[in-house]
Amino acid sequence: MTPNRRFRNVIRIGPVQVATSYDDRGQEKHTAACTAPRCGVSHDYDSRAAAELAAHTHHCPVR
């Protein structure tokens, strides 16, 4: 992941944040990242709907 990603359109769904940014090739990507302690789940998606669905269905593996 590139350290200089500029995230926009950030929303929070439970412990998961969903944001939109451009990758290093200039393509729009949507990221869903869990902010819970010791979870660390983060994935990039091609569509905003997929990222929001992942946020809605996420269950932290660490309890």
Side-chain angles (χ1 to χ4, degrees), residues 1-8 16-34 40-55 58:
M1 184 184 298
T2 311
N4 286 338
R5 291 178 93 175
R6 294 190 126 171
F7 293 104
R8 57 183 166 64
V16 181
Q17 284 187 337
V18 178
T20 303
S21 67
Y22 290 102
D23 65 1
D24 50 344
R25 290 188 273 158
Q27 296 177 339
E28 190 174 64
K29 294 292 181 181
H30 308 279
T31 304
C34 185
V41 173
S42 174
H43 296 287
D44 287 335
Y45 297 94
D46 290 330
S47 71
R48 180 77 181 198
E52 289 184 11
L53 179 64
H58 173 71

